[in-house]
Amino acid sequence: MTLAKAVDMIRPFEGLPHHETAVAQLHIAAGRGKRELHQAAYRIRNAFVAYDYAVSYGKADS
């Protein structure tokens, strides 16, 4: 996985808090190798998906 592809994975969540921090974490992971970048990209994407779901579900419930 390339850094560009990893950043594209989290691009849909650009408006969410801590997006810039996530991109910085991907840059750091890219320096540690492809495996670390791959793991970080999926971990960050899953965290954003969970956050987005929680926020959306909470708004729909109100």
Side-chain angles (χ1 to χ4, degrees), residues 8-30:
D8 283 343
M9 283 178 62
I10 64 169
R11 192 172 310 280
F13 307 105
E14 206 163 352
L16 294 181
H18 306 292
H19 183 265
E20 295 84 12
T21 304
V23 172
Q25 289 176 347
L26 290 176
H27 280 276
I28 292 169

Side-chain angles (χ1 to χ4, degrees), residues 28-46:
I28 292 169
R32 295 182 180 163
K34 288 184 178 182
R35 183 176 183 171
E36 183 70 26
L37 176 61
H38 184 268
Q39 290 174 343
Y42 279 94
R43 190 171 49 245
I44 291 169
R45 188 205 56 189
N46 291 344

